[in-house]
């Protein structure tokens, strides 16, 4: 007998959603994501090949995973990302595939992604004011807006915008972001800053709780709780009837019920299964993939990861980041 909490398994909680980071490389350098001057990208041969990723997806669907998200780093900096998406979407047992992107390369690839069968994308947009966007990401917000327009025109019909809240940097963007999303009929989610990076990205000065963001929106317009599920995430949604808009709040640190409905696991760019974003535990799948894929061994490692999934994250517990977010995939 031991006193640690009983492990979760696929039966006690349906874990059916895998986020796949296809690269740790990124064409932006967000304040909250990469340490300044970071160049320690994973060696190319350590990154799983598309074929290996499909083996992992097959092992996942065999265990009941149905939903997948392709992320990174920036997934659109990896060559032929749309071919991989097409293959993943076509794989038996795969019911939903979404893409997470910063949108910078989206206008160039939206059509190919739509042709690959992609219908759902989450696009990071932390500010609409160009100077603030540049300060946070180093990039050009006009490219992201062009990417959003191209994705909509190409038929990627479910688009959500994600904005990470940073006190002293983008709190004055809360209302402009709401107006922008409403004008494009897009769902917007505000996300609390999480301590995931290699350096401390979160401190008492820059943390901006979603409760404050909610108040900022409520001071401008009426908000009605919306219990409809908009996707698979832990966001609490509100309808804004005066704007015909929907806004979500992801309280990764302040929402004490945050982990209760977590149905996700993550595959890092270098091939480890991570049962929880906010816990260092990982299981390396490479021994089951190289020199050749071994389905029985992959299954065993997946089952181990399901058993290891903690009941809740450790972010509130003096969590010390030890991985860049770009490798984990957010
Ligand atoms: N490059 C893509 C993008 O920008 O969406 C996908 C990868 S990114 C790591 C996935 C998500 O994680 C983005 O919405 C990003 O804003 C979010 N993210 C990254 N670091 C974060 C942090 N420290 N706290 C909260 N969210 C973070």
């Amino acid at each position: 007998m031991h006193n640690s909490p009983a492990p979760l398994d696929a039966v006690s909680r349906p874990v059916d959603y895998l986020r796949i980071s296809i690269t740790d490389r990124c064409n932006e350098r967000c304040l909250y994501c990469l340490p300044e001057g970071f160049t320690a990208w994973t060696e190319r041969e350590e990154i799983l090949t598309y074929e290996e990723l499909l083996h992992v997806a097959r092992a996942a669907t065999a265990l009941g995973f149905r939903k997948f998200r392709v992320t990174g780093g920036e997934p659109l900096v990896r060559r032929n990302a749309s071919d991989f998406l097409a293959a993943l979407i076509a794989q038996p047992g795969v019911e939903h595939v979404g893409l997470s992107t910063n949108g910078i390369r989206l206008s160039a690839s939206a059509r190919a992604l739509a042709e690959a069968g992609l219908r759902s994308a989450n696009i990071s947009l932390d500010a609409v004011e160009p100077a603030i966007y540049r300060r946070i990401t180093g990039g050009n917000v006009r490219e992201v807006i062009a990417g959003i327009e191209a994705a909509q025109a190409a038929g990627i019909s479910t688009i959500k915008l994600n904005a990470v809240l940073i006190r002293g940097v983008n709190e004055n963007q809360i209302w402009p972001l709401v107006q922008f999303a409403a004008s494009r009929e897009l769902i917007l989610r505000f996300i609390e800053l999480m301590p995931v990076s290699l350096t401390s990205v979160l401190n008492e000065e820059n943390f901006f709780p979603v409760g404050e963001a909610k108040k900022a929106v409520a001071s401008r317009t009426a908000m009605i709780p919306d219990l409809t599920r908009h996707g698979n995430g832990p966001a609490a949604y509100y309808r804004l009837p005066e704007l015909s808009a929907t806004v979500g709040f992801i309280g990764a640190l302040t929402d004490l019920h945050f982990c209760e409905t977590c149905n996700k696991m993550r595959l890092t760019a270098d091939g480890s299964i991570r049962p929880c974003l906010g816990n260092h535990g990982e299981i390396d799948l490479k021994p089951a993939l190289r020199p050749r894929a071994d389905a029985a061994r992959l299954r065993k490692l997946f089952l181990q990861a399901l058993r290891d999934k903690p009941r809740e994250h450790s972010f509130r517990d003096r969590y010390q980041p030890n991985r860049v977010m770009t490798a984990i995939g957010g």
Side-chain angles (χ1 to χ4, degrees), residues 274-282 308 310 312-315 319 322:
R274 187 165 168 122
C276 169
L277 176 62
N279 184 292
H280 296 318
E282 291 183 4
D308 287 354
E312 50 184 45
H313 65 62
S314 316
F315 283 147
Y319 182 83
N322 71 350

Side-chain angles (χ1 to χ4, degrees), residues 59-243:
T61 52
L63 286 167
F65 283 76
R66 295 289 173 260
K67 301 157 202 157
F68 294 81
R69 173 160 298 279
V70 173
T71 174
E74 172 49 41
L76 299 183
V77 303
R78 183 157 174 184
R79 210 173 294 158
N80 303 328
S82 55
D83 293 345
F84 170 66
L85 277 153
L88 181 63
I89 289 166
Q91 195 155 289
V94 172
E95 288 175 5
H96 175 85
V97 176
L99 173 75
S100 283
T101 173
N102 58 30
I104 295 287
R105 291 207 176 169
L106 202 46
S107 53
S109 45
R111 195 191 286 249
L113 291 167
E115 278 167 10
L118 185 78
R119 296 291 172 266
S120 167
N122 290 354
I123 302 174
S124 295
L125 184 68
D126 302 320
V128 286
E129 165 64 39
I132 301 176
Y133 183 86
R134 187 172 291 285
R135 180 175 170 202
I136 299 171
T137 68
N140 181 349
V141 73
R142 291 190 186 89
E143 290 176 348
V144 185
I145 294 172
I148 294 169
E149 287 167 354
Q152 287 186 304
I156 299 174
S157 47
T158 305
I159 296 179
K160 292 195 196 112
L161 302 180
N162 286 336
V164 176
L165 293 160
I166 320 168
R167 188 182 298 285
V169 179
N170 66 349
E171 67 263 59
N172 70 359
Q173 293 296 289
I174 292 173
W175 186 243
L177 280 164
V178 170
Q179 289 177 305
F180 175 84
S183 70
R184 312 277 164 142
E185 298 182 19
L186 301 172
I187 290 180
L188 166 69
R189 285 128 31 116
F190 289 107
I191 304 175
E192 273 174 0
L193 192 57
M194 293 176 244
V196 185
S197 177
L198 280 182
T199 48
S200 173
V201 291
L202 167 68
N203 55 52
E204 273 166 30
E205 273 92 64
N206 66 11
F207 183 65
F208 193 95
V210 287
E212 265 190 62
K214 217 181 288 176
K215 271 194 211 144
V217 178
S219 72
R220 302 279 193 153
T221 191
M223 296 173 76
I224 302 169
D226 176 358
L227 302 179
T228 325
R229 268 186 84 75
H230 299 280
N232 301 292
Y237 286 101
Y238 290 79
R239 290 282 311 149
L240 313 183
E242 287 158 353
L243 281 77

